[in-house]
Amino acid sequence: MATGKNIRTYFEGAWHEGDVPIMRAADHGSWLGTTVFDGARFVNGLMPDLDLHCARVNRSAEALMITPTVSTQDMVAITQEGLAKYPKDAAVYIRPMYWAIHGDVTAIVPSSDETGFAICLEEIPFAPETASTTLGLTRFRRPVIDDAVVNAKAGCLYPNNARMLAEVRARGFGNALVADAMGNVAETATANVFMVKDAEVFTPIANGTFLSGITRARHISNLNADGVKVHETVLTFDDFRDADEVFLSGNMSKVTPVTAFADHQYQVGPVTRRVRDMYWDWAASTA
């Protein structure tokens, strides 16, 4: 399903114009869900942390027992070649992906002898600075490593995200604040989460129930460089009710202010705005 426009697809060693078919009906990934992907952004000519996103899709493949076949360096070069056809002011979602093609004698375990690989470039507008969201509670939780491949950015994890979103959107919220198996806050249905209390920044400790995001790490690094300590710790829903500011961290929008959690309201505060400014200052400095 295309969500944007002006799609380009890298498949079988070449770039193609449009949303090219890449999987067959009998591919392991088609019927058993052995697919992984990652997402990076091209915004105003900048490609923040593209190399880290490409490296992570290889790690995700290995976590799903899919054999990665493209090095990080080559993946970055292929992506840059594909982006050269877009205007510098385009906002492009960069999605490298792998899927298993064959299985072993049981058909269940992926075989290492052939791997599907593609990169999809898709123009998707970047959220304006005025964009924000609201959070509701969901009964669905993040799984643990014993239950699911939470150490990968895997397609098979996303139906759980979808039912979280559907549940809270039916009540008028934009996203869900999600618990881990212990009942503490993990992240949201689509992004990592931070809160601010008395000018100090807090985020749920990465406990293996969710991906500790590349953009999350970048915000922590930028805040530390700015003299702000980020507390990675166990946080409850009551902690978020008592927060002064809340914002989301993810590749698609980098920083998304939260204006409400259930019936508690927030202002878009100075720390949230500072985190956004620092992110783009850092991105420009690495161009």
Side-chain angles (χ1 to χ4, degrees), residues 19-211:
D19 188 12
V20 175
I22 59 173
M23 295 180 74
R24 299 165 299 194
D27 280 2
H28 199 275
S30 294
W31 68 289
L32 289 176
T34 44
T35 66
V36 296
F37 73 99
D38 216 288
R41 271 297 211 169
F42 175 78
V43 181
N44 295 325
L46 302 174
M47 296 167 281
D49 284 327
L50 175 60
D51 57 335
L52 299 185
H53 287 282
C54 292
R56 188 171 66 178
V57 77
N58 281 347
R59 295 196 303 273
S60 291
E62 291 170 346
L64 237 67
M65 296 178 287
I66 303 168
T67 303
T69 56
V70 183
S71 71
T72 297
Q73 183 178 7
D74 288 346
M75 208 179 301
V76 168
I78 293 166
T79 301
Q80 290 173 332
E81 179 185 41
L83 288 170
K85 291 288 187 73
Y86 288 88
K88 284 294 177 64
D89 60 352
V92 182
Y93 185 49
I94 303 163
R95 190 168 59 243
M97 64 192 84
Y98 288 108
W99 63 98
I101 293 179
H102 306 295
D104 70 351
V105 293
T106 70
I108 304 300
V109 179
S111 171
S112 62
D113 59 0
E114 189 177 4
T115 301
F117 175 76
I119 300 175
C120 180
L121 303 180
E122 188 172 0
E123 274 198 60
I124 299 177
F126 197 77
E129 288 193 5
T130 54
S132 63
T133 193
T134 58
L135 301 177
L137 287 169
T138 174
R139 70 186 186 277
F140 303 112
R141 296 190 180 191
R142 286 285 179 230
V144 298
I145 191 67
D146 292 339
D147 302 330
V149 284
V150 290
N151 57 334
K153 196 168 177 65
C156 58
L157 296 173
Y158 279 76
N160 197 37
N161 300 20
R163 61 183 186 170
M164 293 169 185
L165 286 172
E167 182 186 29
V168 298
R169 285 180 175 174
R171 304 200 309 271
F173 297 102
N175 209 323
L177 193 60
V178 181
D180 60 19
M182 289 71 71
N184 298 308
V185 174
E187 58 171 351
T188 70
T190 64
N192 296 141
V193 65
F194 289 79
M195 55 165 274
V196 181
K197 180 66 178 178
D198 297 330
E200 295 191 35
V201 180
F202 300 80
T203 191
I205 190 166
N207 61 2
T209 66
F210 63 93
L211 277 183

Side-chain angles (χ1 to χ4, degrees), residues 196 245-248 255-258 267-277:
V196 181
E245 302 175 42
V246 175
F247 62 91
L248 308 187
V255 177
T256 303
V258 174
Q267 297 296 316
V268 180
V271 176
T272 301
R273 291 193 293 269
R274 177 66 178 147
V275 169
R276 178 192 284 127
D277 290 344

